[in-house]
Amino acid sequence: MTTARIPLLHRYANPAAFGRLAAKVLPWTTALAILLLGLGSYFALFASPPDYQQGESVRIMYVHVPAAIMSEVVYGMMAAAAVAGIIWKHALADLFVKAAAPLGAAFTFVCLVAGSLWGKPMWGAWWVWDARLTSELILFFLYLGYLALVDAFDDPQRGLRAGAILVLVGVVDLPIIKFSVDWWNTLHQPASLMTLSGPKVDPSMLLPLMLMIGGFMAFFVSVVVLRLESELLARRIRAWRTATSEE
Amino acid sequence: MSAMLRLFAHDLKLQLRLGSDLIAPVAFFVLATLLVPLGVGPEPNLLTRLAPGMIWVTALLATLLALDRLFQRDFEDGTLDLLALAPLPLEAIVLAKVAAHWVTTGLPLLIAAPVLGLMLRLDHGSYVTLEVSLLLGTPVLSMVGAFGAAVTLGARRGGALLALLVLPLYVPILIFATSAIGAAGEGLSPRPHLLLLASFFVAGLVLVPFAAAAALRNALE
């Protein structure tokens, strides 16, 4: 094992060190999120052409696709943090899983709703039971299951650990979502962004899409850092309360 | 190995002594399935179409019934603490408990399913596939369910929580089992679907004990 990596990992297990890092990072990511989402929305709504087949409804893509990407990326990050929490007992990693979960659930929900609104004019149905939609719906329920489990224990630490194990088991759904459009003959279109031959989207649409993806990402980082900080504060208040009540 | 078998026999004996535990899942399975023709009407072609899905959906729900007691009783009276101290690894204990759970819930479903198939007018060609799919699928249900029971051990409102965690993980099994039966009903080969179910079974056998044992250690800490 490399000697440099683990100390770095553990440096930010210290809440104070994390607090200093967060104070430095947060203004930048917040500004970046506002900038990218603002610019992205402008390009997505006004400065990009309507699709030659889909017309104006293609603009739903600029919300649907970033939300879909984030729904999977957040779960992937949660799984990585769960591994760190279980192997190294990294305190902050456990908390990250909990802080990220409601955001991931929200992204998944937005993805499903936006997709449904897009499906009605394009496919003629709010919902079809194809593999991509079904596996994304399962991902939503995995998020909900995690959120219900993590709060169901009297000892918060035990809830975090049980949740981390659940997140790792649920990872089996991620490749199924990603490759569902290749493995099955789905109504949902196959990948056009992350293909071996590069993106197959026209530059005029790729730009707003990329801006929105970046904006969603910066938004996620900002909110997750805020949630982590408030979780650490809540923990300090709890410790302080039990300490004073014992006196 | 002999310790595992003894634990399995011990669990089985406990389940059999509490007769109601044995009857409840299979009675639920039969009753819930028989509600379908009463709900959608007894039209034969419709029932034939619905039969594989209805049998599997109720089988899924029936295995949920006994799950919350899988580790709960041993957890409350301290048996689980002693088992965790025993030389037998916790992973093996999980497997023995899963086996006992399957014999008391999965196996009765296998026996009751053909009768329900008759009453729901399942295609003549589908019975073998129905049984094979249940034979391969219900152990996976028991395994995934054991993981759910382990991870919710010691949680408040365990029962409803358990269903919320486990049902999404049951979905792939339901999909491939019913597609296998559907394929057999249409005269196609159910083999690819059954092979996938078999792969779930093997993968579950290898992976679930570790996940469930990790969850149990967390509960016992």
Side-chain angles (χ1 to χ4, degrees):
Chain A
M1 205 58 219
T2 53
T3 46
R5 187 164 291 167
I6 292 177
L8 181 71
L9 189 74
H10 281 279
R11 195 176 311 151
Y12 294 108
N14 175 354
F18 171 77
R20 283 194 295 278
L21 180 73
K24 264 184 235 156
V25 166
L26 197 56
W28 291 100
T29 54
T30 312
L32 194 66
I34 295 170
L35 183 75
L36 286 178
L37 287 176
L39 262 178
S41 307
Y42 171 73
F43 274 103
L45 292 175
F46 303 108
S48 65
D51 189 72
Y52 79 104
Q53 270 181 330
Q54 307 192 0
E56 299 289 345
S57 70
V58 75
R59 301 187 196 284
I60 299 173
M61 173 179 77
Y62 302 117
V63 173
H64 173 71
V65 171
I69 291 176
M70 289 308 292
S71 71
E72 284 202 74
V73 168
V74 171
Y75 200 91
M77 288 199 251
M78 282 167 63
V83 170
I86 289 171
I87 296 177
W88 293 296
K89 309 268 177 206
H90 193 292
L92 213 60
D94 278 340
L95 279 182
F96 172 83
V97 183
K98 190 184 174 188
L103 291 165
F107 284 131
T108 316
F109 186 69
V110 168
C111 163
L112 287 169
V113 170
S116 172
L117 291 173
W118 199 7
K120 184 61 185 167
M122 288 305 115
W123 301 339
W126 298 107
W127 184 263
V128 290
W129 288 100
D130 89 14
R132 176 55 76 80
L133 278 71
T134 310
S135 49
E136 186 75 17
L137 185 65
I138 293 176
L139 182 66
F140 183 58
F141 282 115
L142 286 175
Y143 275 121
L144 288 190
Y146 173 84
L147 288 172
L149 181 67
V150 81
D151 279 334
F153 291 84
D154 293 324
D155 174 6
Q157 203 54 40
R158 187 166 285 182
L160 287 178
R161 193 50 47 82
I165 297 170
L166 178 73
V167 167
L168 285 185
V169 170
V171 164
V172 289
D173 193 37
L174 286 190
I176 298 180
I177 301 178
K178 173 78 183 109
F179 296 111
S180 57
V181 284
D182 305 324
W183 291 344
W184 288 282
N185 198 1
T186 53
L187 190 54
H188 193 286
Q189 63 159 342
S192 48
L193 211 55
M194 279 176 265
T195 62
L196 287 177
S197 51
K200 285 189 280 192
V201 184
D202 189 78
S204 62
M205 292 181 175
L206 194 59
L207 174 72
L209 188 56
M210 284 303 169
L211 287 173
M212 289 301 269
I213 293 173
F216 270 59
M217 193 64 105
F219 168 81
F220 168 74
V221 173
S222 308
V223 178
V224 102
V225 166
L226 270 180
R227 281 180 55 82
L228 267 173
E229 280 191 314
S230 63
E231 191 72 38
L232 287 170
L233 284 177
R235 186 179 272 200
R236 264 170 72 187
I237 292 171
R238 232 177 0 244
W240 179 71
R241 274 211 187 120
T242 47
T244 47
S245 65
E246 272 165 13
E247 276 169 13
Chain B
M1 195 64 205
S2 73
M4 233 174 111
L5 282 177
R6 219 170 304 149
L7 182 63
F8 167 72
H10 165 83
D11 256 40
L12 207 57
K13 204 189 284 173
L14 271 180
Q15 300 268 341
L16 294 177
R17 293 267 163 87
L18 301 161
S20 64
D21 275 22
L22 196 61
I23 296 167
V26 74
F28 172 84
F29 176 55
V30 173
L31 203 60
T33 314
L34 294 185
L35 289 178
V36 177
L38 302 179
V40 302
E43 208 259 305
N45 287 331
L46 182 65
L47 286 182
T48 305
R49 284 246 321 278
L50 289 178
M54 285 324 302
I55 292 175
W56 255 97
V57 167
T58 47
L60 224 79
L61 297 176
T63 55
L64 275 181
L65 283 182
L67 273 182
D68 54 338
R69 289 191 300 278
L70 192 56
F71 299 111
Q72 192 67 38
R73 212 160 31 208
D74 286 353
F75 180 63
E76 277 165 4
D77 66 10
T79 313
L80 204 58
D81 286 298
L82 291 179
L83 283 176
L85 289 175
L88 195 62
L90 215 46
E91 284 79 4
I93 291 167
V94 169
L95 266 187
K97 292 219 162 249
V98 167
H101 177 264
W102 181 76
V103 170
T104 50
T105 56
L107 198 57
L109 299 189
L110 236 76
I111 297 164
V115 184
L116 288 177
L118 278 176
M119 297 178 83
L120 292 182
R121 295 172 177 271
L122 187 71
D123 267 311
H124 294 298
S126 302
Y127 283 89
V128 177
T129 315
L130 172 70
E131 285 297 289
V132 175
S133 75
L134 282 169
L135 187 64
L136 290 171
T138 48
V140 190
L141 298 183
S142 291
M143 286 189 263
V144 174
F147 164 72
V151 89
T152 53
L153 203 56
R156 282 174 268 120
R157 56 179 197 274
L161 187 60
L162 181 60
L164 178 64
L165 299 189
V166 164
L167 283 178
L169 298 173
Y170 277 179
V171 168
I173 304 156
L174 175 69
I175 290 174
F176 289 109
T178 49
S179 356
I181 305 170
E186 288 166 22
L188 300 166
S189 167
R191 204 176 123 86
H193 306 289
L194 292 177
L195 284 177
L196 271 168
L197 272 184
S199 72
F200 288 153
F201 174 68
V202 178
L205 206 58
V206 178
L207 298 175
V208 164
F210 291 103
L216 284 181
R217 284 196 192 96
N218 177 45
L220 292 174
E221 236 169 40

